[in-house]
Amino acid sequence: MPRAILKPVLAAAVTALVAVTAASVPGPSDVDTAAPPAPPAAAVFHPVVREGAARTGGYAAEYTVYRPADLDRVPGRLPVVVFGNGACRHTSNDELLTLETLLAAHGFVVVAVGGFDEPALTENGSPSPAVVTDAITWAERENGRRGSELRDRLDPRRIGVAGHSCGGIEALVAGADPRVRSVLSLDSGFFADGTLGYGRENLRKLHTPTLFADGGPDDVAYPNSGGNYDLVTVPAVRVTNPAAGHTGFVYGQRDGSPDPSIREEAVNVLVNWFDFTLNGNRAARGYFLGAGCGLCATPGWTVTAKNFRQE
């Protein structure tokens, strides 16, 4: 797993480029059906704030929060996505900085494992799913905490979990939590022999739609991604781009060379997946499902899906 550092200045650069290009994201899941449909999250782009999470309890990790800067421009409550790091880094929070910033820009609150001002360095840990489930608890408490800017702004019924590489194992285990509504495994998956302490029997505990995204045969997680997809019984999607390898989606590398466009494509996958599974957006659903799915038409990508109801 890579040990390259994404410098905090990148956050400022990304945030400086953010501009509002659409009005809103959907409100709570029980929103009045007579209300006008919300635009797809992919069409929404907000300025983003990156900040340290308030220390409101004894959690398994510290957290960094990415959220739309002007919450008054976001009607209703926001879905929450908890993100685990590659190498199971539980202290640092730099590796996924760009992906997490851009996901938040599309109308999500991202609670990322790791402290606000901790560099990636060479930290390398073991899976601890509690860092993900504790982040859900943090979000629930923050939603009700007096003085919190996020008070009554979060929708605890729309919680997603995601993780890259070793962090994806944490997210897959945390996916058994009844509070979770969606799971995304990025360049990850359980090993057949239970390496890292969690075996594929955990897949039976999943109860929500799950997406496996991988970088093809050069991705060390490619066999696990495919093997896990084959075994799950929940509605599932597998997407593959062999140009990405294990880290191309994270660092913007196509076939080993710098190319930010492949990271942009990965962001579209993240945004559309959580818009589909947390917000119920039909346009986002069509990005993955059906003969004319949007991602299917993107060069280099293959998409397979199972266990979804036909519409």
Side-chain angles (χ1 to χ4, degrees):
M1 299 178 185
R3 295 189 173 93
I5 301 174
L6 289 178
K7 298 295 186 181
V9 69
L10 181 57
V14 173
T15 303
L17 292 173
V18 176
V20 177
T21 60
S24 65
V25 297
S29 54
D30 60 350
V31 68
D32 185 349
T33 55
V44 176
F45 211 59
H46 298 280
V48 169
V49 166
R50 177 181 183 265
E51 57 194 1
R55 300 186 181 184
T56 58
Y59 304 109
E62 292 184 17
Y63 301 104
T64 300
V65 178
Y66 302 75
R67 63 170 177 84
D70 189 350
L71 295 170
D72 290 334
R73 296 185 66 91
V74 186
R77 301 191 182 199
L78 288 86
V80 176
V81 177
V82 177
F83 229 118
N85 299 315
C88 284
R89 297 184 177 102
H90 299 148
T91 301
S92 57
N93 179 247
D94 279 355
E95 180 195 34
L96 299 169
L97 188 152
T98 302
L99 289 183
E100 290 162 342
T101 299
L102 293 173
L103 180 57
H106 288 282
F108 298 86
V109 171
V110 179
V111 184
V113 175
F116 172 75
D117 56 357
E118 295 288 344
L121 299 179
T122 59
E123 183 191 354
N124 197 322
S126 299
S128 176
V131 301
V132 175
T133 54
D134 274 10
I136 299 173
T137 301
W138 178 88
E140 291 177 327
R141 292 176 179 174
E142 197 68 4
N143 192 50
R145 182 174 68 86
R146 292 181 181 275
S148 169
E149 288 192 72
L150 294 174
R151 187 178 186 187
D152 296 328
R153 298 285 191 171
L154 308 179
D155 188 345
R157 296 161 297 182
R158 292 188 289 156
I159 302 288
V161 295
H164 177 246
S165 195
C166 188
I169 291 177
E170 294 174 325
L172 285 165
V173 177
D177 191 300
R179 298 172 295 179
V180 172
R181 296 289 301 274
S182 178
V183 178
L184 190 150
S185 166
L186 183 62
D187 304 306
S188 187
F190 297 116
F191 289 85
D193 62 359
T195 295
L196 298 181
Y198 294 91
R200 292 181 177 178
E201 67 277 2
N202 285 280
L203 296 168
R204 296 194 294 267
K205 302 176 184 178
L206 293 172
H207 60 94
T208 65
T210 301
L211 183 144
F212 298 91
D214 62 69
D218 290 336
D219 183 349
V220 67
Y222 179 72
N224 291 346
S225 182
N228 284 210
Y229 170 79
D230 290 342
L231 289 172
V232 294
T233 57
V234 294
V237 172
R238 184 188 183 194
V239 302
T240 299
N241 187 322
H246 191 57
T247 59
F249 298 141
V250 175
Y251 296 113
Q253 296 174 335
R254 192 185 300 270
D255 293 320
S257 299
D259 185 348
S261 68
I262 198 166
R263 183 167 53 201
E264 294 170 7
E265 293 166 15
V267 169
N268 282 333
V269 170
L270 295 171
V271 170
N272 279 286
W273 176 252
F274 287 119
D275 195 24
F276 165 31
T277 55
L278 298 182
N279 299 336
N281 188 278
R282 292 186 62 82
R285 184 184 196 277
Y287 192 72
F288 302 100
L289 304 181
C293 79
L295 187 58
C296 302
T298 304
W301 289 84
T302 59
V303 183
T304 56
K306 66 180 186 179
N307 301 332
F308 288 93
R309 291 179 296 181
Q310 293 187 350
E311 294 187 7

